[in-house]
Amino acid sequence: MRIGFVQYTPCFGEVDHNIETVLDLIGSVRADLLVLPELCMTGYLITSRDEIADLAEKIPGGKTTEALCRTARERSCHIVAGLAERSGDNLYNSAVLVGPDGYIGHYRKLHLFFEEKLWFTPGDGDLPVFDLGTARVGIMICFDWIFPEATRSLALKGAQVICHPANLVLPFCQDAMKTRCLENRVFAVTANRTGVEKRGGKVLSYTGMSQITGPEGAIIHRCGGEDERALVVEIDPARADNKAINEYNDIFRDRRPEYYAMLLKKKLNKNV
Ligand code: ACM
């Protein structure tokens, strides 16, 4: 199976231009599954709720999802892309999955980062896993990486490949994904953006270095910090089904969930 990412610099608010750039980059590779960055058609450094409300789209049905569906059909591939979603009065930081037969599903980011909390409603649905035939893929978005429960939930639901659209501004995630993949024995595609956004007196620099990580925690490919490109590697998703470390230890069978009840508590007490 050929999986990969598109790394580039979106222009804030220029959705048509960004769609064109992404489709050009997608056209440069042959892939079964491609992951695009978080908020990949709108840009990330939002300065007001009205601004992102104007740019957000319905999923499915919005023009970006429709454009991605057409490309997925033409190129016989699956695409996961981070998009701003409008649903009723709510805005979500979402990721859509489309394939040769059109829209398949989407995920709304559970763990909002920094000022995202001013603009978006946190997701209230499960972390999803989809069986594409070629592989079982899970979706999480950027800052979800810092909650080990997110990757773990996807892995326990059977994901072999984690699709991870991102707009990373801190330097920790790429190295942390080695541990996320190792402790769950899954592949991950972290698709990050590049460039600097300066808006409303604020500046954000994105770290690039999109990464494909393997189930033993090895980096299969890490992109440069500023490259704008699509990159694809060949993997065997079935490698993620082997959870054995040695003949005695299987990281899923050896779990002791009866001692993890704490994880299910809704509210932490004041000492924790
Ligand atoms: C992030 O979640 N965009 C850091």
Side-chain angles (χ1 to χ4, degrees):
M1 181 184 189
R2 293 173 61 79
I3 65 170
F5 56 76
V6 176
Q7 170 172 301
Y8 72 110
T9 304
C11 300
F12 193 95
E14 316 246 343
V15 175
D16 291 338
H17 167 82
N18 293 330
I19 291 176
E20 210 174 299
T21 305
V22 168
L23 298 190
D24 272 359
L25 288 166
I26 290 176
S28 68
V29 290
R30 191 173 58 76
D32 299 303
L33 172 66
L34 279 172
V35 185
L36 313 182
E38 179 182 16
L39 297 180
C40 70
M41 302 306 186
T42 53
Y44 183 82
L45 212 181
I46 298 157
T47 60
S48 75
R49 193 174 186 285
D50 284 351
E51 171 179 85
I52 193 65
D54 280 349
L55 294 169
E57 298 181 29
K58 286 215 167 84
I59 304 178
K63 75 170 161 187
T64 303
T65 306
E66 291 298 302
L68 292 172
C69 286
R70 280 194 297 277
T71 299
R73 186 167 57 244
E74 281 160 23
R75 305 194 64 79
S76 286
C77 69
H78 287 88
I79 301 171
V80 172
L83 304 180
E85 179 193 359
R86 189 175 56 247
S87 175
D89 290 337
N90 291 327
L91 302 174
Y92 297 96
N93 183 342
S94 296
V96 68
L97 167 65
V98 300
D101 296 327
Y103 165 83
I104 296 173
H106 68 289
Y107 161 68
R108 294 170 170 164
K109 188 176 187 180
L110 288 180
H111 305 101
L112 298 177
F113 178 71
F114 195 54
E115 290 184 342
E116 290 172 32
K117 292 193 176 198
L118 303 179
W119 328 121
F120 295 111
T121 300
D124 52 6
D126 274 356
L127 289 142
V129 176
F130 302 92
D131 191 344
L132 306 184
T134 45
R136 297 182 304 275
V137 303
I139 303 177
M140 64 182 196
I141 300 177
C142 205
F143 192 53
D144 285 333
W145 74 265
I146 211 165
F147 301 89
E149 296 90 341
T151 321
R152 178 66 108 204
S153 300
L154 292 169
L156 287 175
K157 285 167 97 171
Q160 297 164 310
V161 179
I162 309 286
C163 301
H164 184 206
N167 273 190
L168 295 160
V169 291
L170 300 175
F172 312 115
C173 172
Q174 289 87 342
D175 282 340
M177 286 310 291
K178 296 194 275 179
T179 304
R180 291 289 165 275
C181 288
L182 174 65
E183 69 198 359
N184 292 290
R185 309 291 274 193
V186 290
F187 292 90
V189 182
T190 299
N192 193 17
R193 59 161 290 169
T194 45
V196 178
E197 283 184 310
K198 294 186 186 159
R199 309 191 67 247
K202 296 179 186 163
V203 182
L204 285 177
S205 294
Y206 302 93
T207 56
M209 298 192 291
S210 295
Q211 180 170 299
I212 302 173
T213 317
E216 290 88 25
I219 297 172
I220 298 172
H221 189 90
R222 182 183 278 181
C223 211
E226 288 164 18
D227 303 358
E228 295 198 75
R229 63 173 304 191
L231 188 285
V232 173
V233 301
E234 180 108 30
I235 63 151
D236 175 7
R239 271 177 53 212
D241 294 334
N242 177 12
K243 306 298 182 190
I245 303 284
N246 55 44
E247 60 264 57
Y248 297 101
N249 294 114
D250 175 293
I251 56 156
F252 277 10
R253 280 208 293 270
D254 286 357
R255 295 172 66 248
R256 307 291 306 278
E258 63 274 34
Y259 296 106
Y260 311 152
M262 174 75 181
L263 288 177
L264 294 175
K265 277 203 179 146
K266 290 225 160 47
K267 289 231 177 346
L268 296 179
N269 71 37
K270 67 178 185 324
N271 298 319
V272 186

